[in-house]
Amino acid sequence: MKIVTFAVPCYNSSAYMKKCIETLLPGGEDVEIILINDGSSDDTGKIADEYASQYPGLVKAIHQENGGHGEGVNTGLKNASGMYYKVVDSDDWLDAPGMLKVIETLKQLINSGKNPDMMICNYVYEHAEDNTRHIVNYTNVLPENRIFTWEEVGSFKPSQYLLMHSVIYNTELLRKSGMVLPKHTFYVDNIFVFQPLPYVKTLYYMDIDLYRYFIGRSDQSVNEQVMIKRIDQQYRVTRIMIDSFSQLKLPDKKLDQYMLNYLSVMMAISSVLSVISGLKENLEKKAELWSYLKSKDEKLYIRLRYHLLGRISNLPGRAGRKLTVYLYRLLRRKYKFN
Amino acid sequence: MSSAYDCLVIGCGFAGAVIGRELAERAGKKVLIIEKRSHIGGNAYDFTNNDGILLHKYGPHIFHTNFKRVFDYLSRFTQWRDYSHEVLANVYGRLIPVPFNLNSLYMTFEPHKAKKVEEKLIFTFGLNKKVTIGELKAQTDDDLVELADYVYKNIFLYYTQKQWGTSPEHVDPSVTARVPILISHDNRYFQDTYQGMPANGYTSLFENILNHPDITLLLNYDAVSHIKMKDDKVFLDDEEFTGTIIYTGAIDELFSCCFGPLPYRTLDFEFETHDVEWYQEKGTINYTVDMPYTRITEFKHLTGQVLSNRTVIMKEYPGEYTGKNGQIPYYAILNNKNVELYQKYKQRTDSLNDFHLLGRLAEYKYYNMDAIVERALALADQLCCKEGKE
């Protein structure tokens, strides 16, 4: 049985995908590596096929029409045979010894019949420009090396929100959650770490710097100017998150609070980007988003309205810490708060 | 990742596994072993096929040694099955023991002649001595020269041509010396004090060697993709590695074959399953006058597996190593030109700090299994000792 399926969505990744794949191969027979060639126009498909033929039973190559990162994640999930599912972006990589430890732990948990719904590990920002790194860990909010529930979770610092990079889901749980990411849309990783959470009852955390998140190439989607250009996609994702959270009555207070915080940050980013862009049409979209929320769930609307400014300075993950500072500065100027 | 380890070992055959264990156990080091294949054990790797038959994936490996230290060391990790390898040569359908010995002599010549030659051999060289083809040919006695010619033509010539793809004169004497004539009635292929097979196979032996809490092993991890050299520094996944490095892989590949590839002979193996209890009477039969393959090995003789109706044999086809299509470099082709080329690569590593080359591929040498274990233990002595003084 395959313990983990690693899905690697690849779009024109020929220059760097090898490094990513090579760090997954040591998983050997316990893992399945699905390379999803998302309609690339470079050698990505060829490289994927080469790995698949060189490592049969370990690497699969799937070619699809271009559908974006989210569609790659969907395709990987559809084809996954591993008990757990992990997305690794083709420009990022895993720490191989750490990965082996995680697999060994999952194996033991599966054998004892106590396999968690979600495994969480640390991730590391690898900055290309200055060769520095920044580790995000959860030692202050999550118990280590044992099964726990949301009740035992502490309060996450905003820089600590769970990202696609920090989670490994039970594959069946993801399928049960019905999550399907929209095509041709950036920032869908937010949906990935949001919508399935109510299905997650048991968690497990290992203080291992597993995921290496590469930052620094200018075409990456966290660059703030790029974010403004892609504002419609930010809105689309936020709406989907509203849909999955509104009218939800979560028995777990901690989980409810966590999801509320996360959604509020998404609302804040959308709003702030509209403001920065200075375009009238974007401000209209911002107003539409808020009224959409109000129509969906008025209580939630009220909760979030009062929640916004407290959270605005704290942006998760892909948005990045640099952007946080930038937005904070802008917000201060525009809204003259503080 | 690299900062978490004191030592980096590249390759997990005998060289890598033994030095890794020694550094972890004797020097208390955190050791990371990376291996590009999907399994441990290098070319000694064995596995059980779908019919339940234990096979040596990269050709027959029979353990034999005169080093007590090596035997004792490996005995910590395996029990042994008594096995003395015997090889026959198929000379136009007649099977005679090789190395050519006194028994072979009586099977080849009529008794009176054989007796005469036996007496001359014992008189000239002594009983239980080994003589090489070259030494025999240098004799003036007509019978001995005739014997040399017979052995040269029927046992040595075609076999060596197949093996090296060249005529014997172009083969290094150290290789020729490996085909001796044995003045003895002992049919065993090796005369070493200790010989046998790991009771549960080689892969199990390696698993036991590697079973140490301070050893981390990464399979499918190709040094060529993960290691970079720049300004006398070694980088593992873009992070400088400052600890001890043991490199057991092909040295030319480490430098992208910048001076040209080092020449090797490769082998192509053909496995065949037969629905009989035994295919041939001994472990290995050499085809010394015909057939495109050099030899056929039947694994059940080696491993002692009992199976009444099925057996697997392996035919070996030597060929020129081109580095393509998953070919494996097995034997260094030792001549002056190649050794000079090797030296050029080796010089590139001289300026590296605490960097050591170990093994067939890294040292461009022919090592038997026991010889490389001995070398690995000696290097461990040196490294652990140096550690102690500091």
Side-chain angles (χ1 to χ4, degrees), chain B residues 88-97 104 106-110 150 155 285-286 288-289:
Chain B
L88 302 173
N90 184 320
V91 184
Y92 303 111
R94 186 165 45 188
L95 298 171
I96 60 172
S104 322
Y106 280 90
M107 293 167 85
T108 305
F109 298 104
E110 49 91 14
Y150 177 85
I155 310 289
I285 296 188
N286 289 357
T288 58
V289 290

Side-chain angles (χ1 to χ4, degrees), chain B residues 129-257:
Chain B
K129 287 283 173 347
K130 272 183 186 175
V131 194
T132 64
I133 301 283
E135 283 176 274
L136 208 57
K137 282 194 90 166
Q139 296 299 311
T140 49
D141 184 277
D142 287 348
D143 287 329
L144 292 186
V145 173
E146 187 193 340
L147 174 64
D149 284 344
Y150 177 85
V151 173
Y152 180 80
K153 276 184 198 142
N154 294 288
I155 310 289
F156 182 68
L157 181 64
Y158 182 56
Y159 188 87
T160 307
Q161 281 175 346
K162 282 192 280 191
Q163 190 160 26
W164 296 97
T166 169
S167 67
E169 300 86 71
H170 293 107
V171 178
D172 190 87
S174 71
V175 174
T176 315
R178 293 187 70 232
V179 189
I181 286 170
L182 194 57
I183 307 170
S184 160
H185 290 279
D186 183 354
N187 278 345
R188 294 177 307 165
Y189 194 65
F190 307 110
Q191 274 68 44
D192 303 55
T193 315
Y194 308 98
Q195 37 190 312
M197 298 287 289
N200 297 314
Y202 286 96
T203 302
S204 161
L205 164 66
F206 277 93
E207 279 169 0
N208 292 335
I209 294 175
L210 296 166
N211 183 12
H212 188 282
D214 290 334
I215 295 177
T216 301
L217 169 71
L218 296 180
L219 296 176
N220 297 317
Y221 215 72
D222 191 350
V224 170
S225 310
H226 294 279
I227 289 185
K228 295 204 171 53
M229 329 271 283
K230 210 177 141 194
D231 308 331
D232 290 345
K233 287 175 182 165
V234 179
F235 294 84
L236 175 63
D237 287 328
D238 300 331
E239 232 173 285
E240 189 185 350
F241 190 88
T242 52
T244 304
I245 297 176
I246 316 283
Y247 186 80
T248 78
I251 191 171
D252 50 352
E253 288 176 18
L254 186 61
F255 298 102
S256 316
C257 296

Side-chain angles (χ1 to χ4, degrees), chain A residues 14-267:
Chain A
S14 63
Y16 39 82
M17 63 191 284
K18 281 186 183 174
K19 171 166 183 166
C20 170
I21 297 163
E22 295 276 344
T23 63
L24 306 177
L25 293 172
E29 287 172 13
D30 289 333
V31 309
E32 170 188 58
I33 301 165
I34 302 183
L35 306 174
I36 302 114
N37 171 27
D38 188 29
S40 303
S41 56
D42 67 354
D43 278 344
T44 296
K46 204 177 127 212
I47 294 169
D49 285 336
E50 278 167 11
Y51 275 103
S53 69
Q54 201 184 342
Y55 298 94
L58 176 55
V59 180
K60 274 189 215 165
I62 299 178
H63 305 273
Q64 66 182 27
E65 267 177 47
N66 184 264
H69 186 254
E71 185 65 2
V73 174
N74 295 337
T75 302
L77 184 56
K78 259 183 237 158
N79 291 280
S81 64
M83 185 118 175
Y84 285 85
Y85 186 70
K86 170 99 188 133
V87 179
V88 185
D89 289 338
S90 58
D91 50 351
D92 301 336
W93 65 95
L94 296 191
D95 175 67
M99 171 188 67
L100 294 185
K101 281 184 204 142
V102 171
I103 289 170
E104 198 48 46
T105 303
L106 284 173
K107 224 193 234 179
Q108 283 169 15
L109 288 165
I110 291 167
N111 286 339
S112 69
K114 290 175 189 154
N115 39 313
D117 295 332
M118 178 192 261
M119 168 67 90
I120 298 163
C121 296
N122 305 337
Y123 62 93
V124 182
Y125 290 105
E126 301 273 357
H127 296 274
E129 296 148 2
D130 51 1
N131 239 336
T132 58
R133 53 184 52 182
H134 173 77
I135 300 170
V136 175
N137 71 48
Y138 302 93
T139 49
N140 58 328
V141 277
L142 303 176
E144 283 172 49
N145 302 325
R146 65 174 176 86
I147 298 268
F148 58 90
T149 59
W150 289 110
E151 263 177 46
E152 295 181 67
V153 168
S155 49
F156 284 75
K157 284 186 229 160
S159 61
Q160 276 184 314
Y161 285 128
L162 297 174
L163 298 196
M164 196 175 228
H165 313 321
S166 40
V167 304
I168 305 174
Y169 279 111
N170 179 292
T171 311
E172 269 317 299
L173 178 144
L174 276 185
R175 290 186 181 137
K176 243 192 289 175
S177 79
M179 179 195 70
V180 177
L181 302 179
K183 282 187 180 186
H184 301 293
T185 307
F186 286 89
Y187 319 122
V188 290
D189 49 320
N190 291 297
I191 302 171
F192 188 83
V193 285
F194 189 78
Q195 190 180 331
L197 289 188
Y199 294 84
V200 174
K201 303 294 177 208
T202 54
L203 304 91
Y204 197 102
Y205 168 57
M206 294 178 80
D207 180 19
I208 286 176
D209 302 334
L210 180 66
Y211 195 98
R212 306 306 172 100
Y213 175 30
F214 182 83
I215 293 185
R217 278 205 337 278
S218 56
D219 64 339
Q220 256 183 342
S221 52
V222 289
N223 183 302
E224 49 261 39
Q225 283 311 313
V226 175
M227 278 187 89
I228 292 170
K229 262 199 290 191
R230 293 172 183 161
I231 194 161
D232 286 345
Q233 308 188 16
Q234 176 70 31
Y235 274 111
R236 195 178 311 152
V237 166
T238 309
R239 268 172 206 255
I240 290 170
M241 290 171 71
I242 290 172
D243 290 345
S244 60
F245 189 59
S246 60
Q247 304 297 345
L248 208 59
K249 300 223 171 359
L250 290 173
D252 286 302
K253 286 263 158 359
K254 294 262 180 68
L255 175 61
D256 181 61
Q257 193 59 44
Y258 175 81
M259 290 182 77
L260 182 81
N261 291 348
Y262 200 115
L263 184 56
S264 81
V265 169
M266 290 301 290
M267 296 292 289

